Amino acid sequence: MARIFNILLLCITLVCGSIACTTSAAPTDALRLIGRFEQQGAQHHSTWPGSAFEFNFAGSQAKIELASSARVRFIVDVNGKQSDLWVDGAAKTYTLAEKLPQGKHHIRVTRVTESFDIVSSIYSQPKVDGKLLPPPTTLDKKILAIGDSITAGYGIEGNSKECGYSMETSNQLATYAAIAARELNADIQAIAWSGIGAWRSYGENTPVNPTILDRYARTLANNPTSQWPPENFQPDVITIAIGTNDYWTGSVTNEYRLGMKKLVAKVRADYPGKPLYLIVSPMLGGEARQSQISEMQTLQTPSIRVVDLGKIEASDGYGCDYHPNSITNKRMGEELIRRIRKDLHW
């Protein structure tokens, strides 16, 4: 009976950034979750790139029990120093840090691999050799970043347009959206899926796969029954970077505008009146780029703005499969930061 009670207590008092909690945190409820997580008993499942958890502790080492339905890359940040962590298979205990100087430490673990159908899971509270401390506080500012492979970080660490997709070269933390969130000291929820569009996906002449409108509403990206309650994360600003894949043939009908109109209407219904930026694709050029801008401009209002963060410059190089690399994303991130500060006085 005592064991059942402890499990129930853990379920209802876990402190998080994305799940509504109604009870105060005991010292052992150490995790803060960032992003969309689905809770099942004492476990917390996620799929979206950029989903993260963090905690504070006093001691010299920390471990945690994790699982993943397939191999997935995380970045572990220990007091500002980053390293890769690969998680695969059934639940087991992973070492996050060891041989640290005795004292207080902060650890953040971020999934940088995008969704696909891979579900990663947290199975335990952190296990430390000292003491778990109260969790980090939720940040005052919040950004919701909706996008495709560019926002997911596809190929961003690649060194050539010739390389194809790999988890080793993809990193959501290096994207323009994540850069802006860090600089603006904001929590970010990244809803991004490679190849997706407002109307059709890459390689489709007519729609076959779910659009961003379908996946946007989900807690777990590939599960249509896993629906996200918008009230659990109320952003202060929203970015939508969708259109690269709609224009994959170089031209598109007015179906793109209609798809974007539906997406914007859904986002507006979830978050009335919040500033919304429609971001021009850095991968489009020529007539396709001008067409996307024109279609987006039909949706402009005083609180919905079209923003051009720049396009890929050949002199800066490319990530894998012609995607923007870290240089381009840094420039885009800096422009987004400048625009948000100018418009919102952050």
Side-chain angles (χ1 to χ4, degrees), residues 36-38 44-48 51 111 118-121 220:
R36 295 185 179 183
F37 285 80
E38 183 173 271
H44 291 79
H45 310 291
S46 62
T47 63
W48 292 108
S51 300
R111 172 174 167 155
I118 304 173
V119 179
S120 51
S121 306
L220 303 179

Side-chain angles (χ1 to χ4, degrees), residues 55-218:
F55 63 95
N56 299 318
F57 77 101
S60 65
Q61 68 177 28
K63 302 179 180 181
I64 197 166
E65 192 175 2
L66 303 172
S68 184
S69 60
R71 187 169 181 259
V72 69
R73 179 187 175 197
F74 289 81
I75 288 181
V76 181
D77 186 306
V78 182
N79 303 325
K81 184 177 181 180
Q82 296 184 348
S83 61
D84 281 358
L85 174 69
W86 292 89
V87 176
D88 192 3
K92 62 181 178 180
T93 299
Y94 290 84
T95 298
L96 303 179
E98 58 184 352
K99 299 180 181 178
L100 298 174
Q102 284 288 341
K104 296 180 179 180
H105 305 286
H106 173 260
I107 293 180
R108 181 170 175 138
V109 182
T110 305
R111 172 174 167 155
V112 295
T113 300
E114 64 177 285
S115 298
F116 306 117
D117 60 351
I118 304 173
V119 179
S120 51
S121 306
I122 305 168
Y123 270 71
S124 74
Q125 287 285 309
K127 303 169 185 178
V128 302
D129 62 343
K131 179 183 179 181
L132 288 171
L133 300 175
T137 57
T138 299
L139 301 181
D140 291 336
K141 301 181 181 70
K142 297 178 177 63
I143 297 173
L144 172 61
I146 302 168
D148 51 30
S149 57
I150 299 167
T151 306
Y154 182 122
I156 199 170
E157 295 178 343
N159 56 14
S160 167
K161 61 188 178 185
E162 307 301 330
C163 57
Y165 176 81
S166 73
M167 291 186 186
E168 286 78 7
T169 60
S170 298
N171 182 354
Q172 200 282 325
L173 275 181
T175 66
Y176 71 95
I179 290 169
R182 285 194 296 275
E183 178 64 25
L184 295 169
N185 197 32
D187 277 335
I188 182 171
Q189 193 176 91
I191 306 303
W193 183 283
S194 284
I196 207 164
W199 166 49
R200 63 180 179 181
S201 295
Y202 180 81
E204 296 177 348
N205 289 311
T206 56
V208 176
N209 293 298
T211 66
I212 190 63
L213 180 62
D214 300 317
R215 295 197 190 277
Y216 156 76
R218 300 174 184 176

